[in-house]
Amino acid sequence: MKRNIFAYFLFFTTIIILLSACSSSEESKADKNQDKHSYHAENGDLRETTASLSVAPIFLEDQHEQIQMVYSAVGEYQDLLEDIPCYCGCGDSAAHKDNYDCFINENKENGAVVWDDHGTRCGTCLDTAAKSINMLNEGKSIKEIRQYIDDTYKEGYAEPTPTPFPG
């Protein structure tokens, strides 16, 4: 079931990539309804703390279903996405270290999660996460997935995040 959902998502992500690019200038509902659990990072990304991975941030409420699906899956695939770089330029603009950082800024010891809205505005981030998750579900190793992502985005994209190659 997950495989079909993410295959469906990839189709729409391709369209989103063609229509969007990373941008911090878009206003979201969360910008208007900020509470004590949300704030803007230095680069303009909205960060919101929720009690756990099972509690979605407010900024996802008005997002497309496929974007919500990626965000809900990211927490389950932390070990994978921390080994996958992002090629949208967020290593420089947001100090991200890997693709996981495009969606989740911090996992707190008490189980709380600090979400990052960067991925809601970036087709490259979304596509990288969705492709990586799909490939893992198809039985590919993390090294194979990493090589695929590196090969796919090596030309025509920004410098990757400083993500070490998996050992």
Side-chain angles (χ1 to χ4, degrees):
M1 177 72 175
K2 279 187 181 180
R3 202 175 298 161
N4 290 339
I5 291 171
F6 281 104
Y8 179 72
F9 170 77
L10 281 176
F11 172 75
F12 284 102
T13 301
T14 303
I15 292 170
I16 291 169
I17 289 171
L18 295 174
L19 299 174
S20 68
C22 292
S23 168
S24 61
S25 63
E26 294 180 22
E27 185 177 46
S28 69
K29 181 177 181 178
D31 290 332
K32 297 174 189 171
N33 298 321
Q34 282 189 10
D35 61 24
K36 63 183 178 180
H37 299 292
S38 59
Y39 64 94
H40 285 278
E42 288 182 24
N43 69 336
D45 287 350
L46 181 65
R47 297 204 176 136
E48 183 179 335
T49 303
T50 64
S52 69
L53 286 169
S54 63
V55 180
I58 293 170
F59 64 73
L60 286 180
E61 285 181 0
D62 291 335
Q63 296 296 326
H64 196 279
E65 181 180 355
Q66 280 77 21
I67 293 173
Q68 293 177 15
M69 285 172 40
V70 172
Y71 267 85
S72 69
V74 163
E76 296 176 42
Y77 293 93
Q78 179 177 357
D79 290 342
L80 165 65
L81 297 177
E82 285 182 336
D83 281 331
I84 305 298
C86 187
Y87 282 82
C88 79
C90 62
D92 290 331
S93 68
H96 290 174
K97 294 179 229 117
D98 49 56
N99 188 236
Y100 186 75
D101 289 349
C102 300
F103 306 94
I104 295 179
N105 177 258
E106 181 183 0
N107 294 297
K108 297 189 176 262
E109 287 184 30
N110 67 359
V113 176
V114 180
W115 300 89
D116 192 311
D117 80 334
H118 180 83
T120 65
R121 298 179 317 279
C122 186
T124 302
C125 301
L126 291 165
D127 193 50
T128 298
K131 283 181 181 176
S132 298
I133 291 168
N134 276 337
M135 291 177 75
L136 188 70
N137 287 333
E138 292 169 358
K140 302 290 185 196
S141 72
I142 292 177
K143 288 181 182 180
E144 289 173 311
I145 297 166
R146 169 62 185 266
Q147 190 61 57
Y148 173 83
I149 295 297
D150 286 343
D151 290 344
T152 299
Y153 294 102
K154 68 183 174 187
E155 292 182 23
Y157 292 88
E159 287 295 313
T161 54
T163 311
F165 198 86

